[in-house]
Amino acid sequence: METIAKRAKAAREYAKLTQKQAEVVSGVKQASISKIERGATIRTGGLLALARAYRADPNWLDTGDGPAPWDPIQIRQAQHQANEPAAIYRVVRVPPELPYFSPGTPDTVPLISWSQAANWEIAGKHTTDRWIPCIAHHSPEKTYALRVEGDSMAAASGELKSYPEGSIIFVDTNLKTPADGERVIALVTEGGKLTFKEFKEQDGPRWLLPLNPKHEPIRTAFVVLGTVIGKWEDED
């Protein structure tokens, strides 16, 4: 199914829900559901709630990538393998909705603060009760979501992997040996500051590169704590 409208309607009908019943279950207004199913809106902020109500893969509902609700196998093995070669990095331009999912809900990860990220290896998944769906293949119990602070990773050219302040990144802490060009969360040894940058390694030297040219590269010692495997940002 090539459009969100067709997928949304098919998923609702497969769940045997009327639009009004879907409103009650998901919290998304019936008028919004109707607009989505008619293809009358490009705003898809309610899709995650609808996916949960329809027991559908949110990635499939949003992009068509993944199993449909009626497919015999609902969870692919690759869904939880961070090294899966197909579509390891995903971008979804829909911000997560409130309320958050209950801790430990399948296919979700904790949305944590920067201070919590610094102590993630010690505190682990019990650091927060705010959990949101993870949009990419990831390592279970080793992945978290983090809201971007500052503008050092906001690319001037508006390229795909630009990270404006407020967008959400998904970090797999099982991936600590990034390739040149991958985005990482790293701990700068001098000062112990946590930072989000592009990892660079060419002919030996390693450094951290901001996408915003107004910021300086980090060429002092650092430790990679995890690799960014996807982002979530508003369409605006």
Side-chain angles (χ1 to χ4, degrees):
M1 294 184 180
E2 66 276 13
T3 66
I4 292 176
K6 290 183 178 180
R7 291 191 294 272
K9 183 177 180 180
R12 176 179 60 76
E13 291 179 342
Y14 185 77
K16 294 181 171 54
L17 296 173
T18 64
Q19 289 186 353
K20 189 61 179 178
Q21 289 171 331
E23 176 185 16
V24 174
V25 175
S26 68
V28 179
K29 295 295 185 182
Q30 182 179 356
S32 297
I33 296 173
S34 178
K35 286 183 178 180
I36 290 173
E37 293 185 2
R38 297 198 315 269
T41 178
I42 61 173
R43 298 298 311 206
T44 55
L47 282 187
L48 289 173
L50 292 177
R52 183 171 174 81
Y54 302 158
R55 297 183 180 275
D57 182 335
N59 290 337
W60 171 81
L61 193 58
D62 184 35
T63 68
D65 176 27
W70 47 82
D71 287 343
I73 299 177
Q74 292 297 304
I75 299 179
R76 297 168 295 175
Q77 185 179 17
Q79 189 171 0
H80 293 308
Q81 293 182 350
N83 291 320
E84 173 68 17
I88 182 174
Y89 189 95
R90 288 184 55 82
V91 176
V92 174
R93 298 185 183 279
V94 180
E97 293 195 349
L98 298 176
Y100 298 96
F101 290 92
S102 300
T105 299
D107 303 324
T108 66
V109 297
L111 175 61
I112 66 176
S113 67
W114 282 80
S115 60
Q116 290 171 324
N119 299 305
W120 176 256
E121 295 294 337
I122 300 175
K125 67 176 183 178
H126 301 295
T127 56
T128 181
D129 59 359
R130 297 175 296 174
W131 289 59
I132 63 174
C134 186
I135 63 173
H137 306 312
H138 64 283
S139 302
E141 302 185 6
K142 294 290 186 178
T143 303
Y144 60 76
L146 188 66
R147 195 176 297 277
V148 175
E149 296 181 353
D151 65 352
S152 69
M153 290 297 282
S157 63
E159 62 183 75
L160 179 64
K161 292 185 181 179
S162 177
Y163 309 83
E165 185 170 21
S167 59
I168 291 174
I169 54 176
F170 294 85
V171 183
D172 193 325
T173 61
N174 212 34
L175 304 178
K176 292 185 171 65
T177 55
D180 178 65
E182 290 191 295
R183 278 57 168 166
V184 301
I185 294 296
L187 183 66
V188 180
T189 303
E190 184 177 348
K193 181 181 178 181
L194 201 66
T195 188
F196 168 40
K197 295 292 184 290
E198 178 179 340
F199 176 80
K200 301 297 293 181
E201 183 174 26
Q202 297 174 355
D203 300 325
R206 302 162 72 245
W207 72 96
L208 299 172
L209 180 69
L211 298 183
N212 189 335
K214 295 180 180 179
H215 293 258
E216 295 293 327
I218 297 175
R219 299 185 181 277
T220 56
F222 61 87
V223 177
V224 174
L225 300 184
T227 298
V228 176
I229 57 175
K231 74 167 179 176
W232 220 337
E233 70 176 45
D234 203 331
E235 293 176 310
D236 294 338

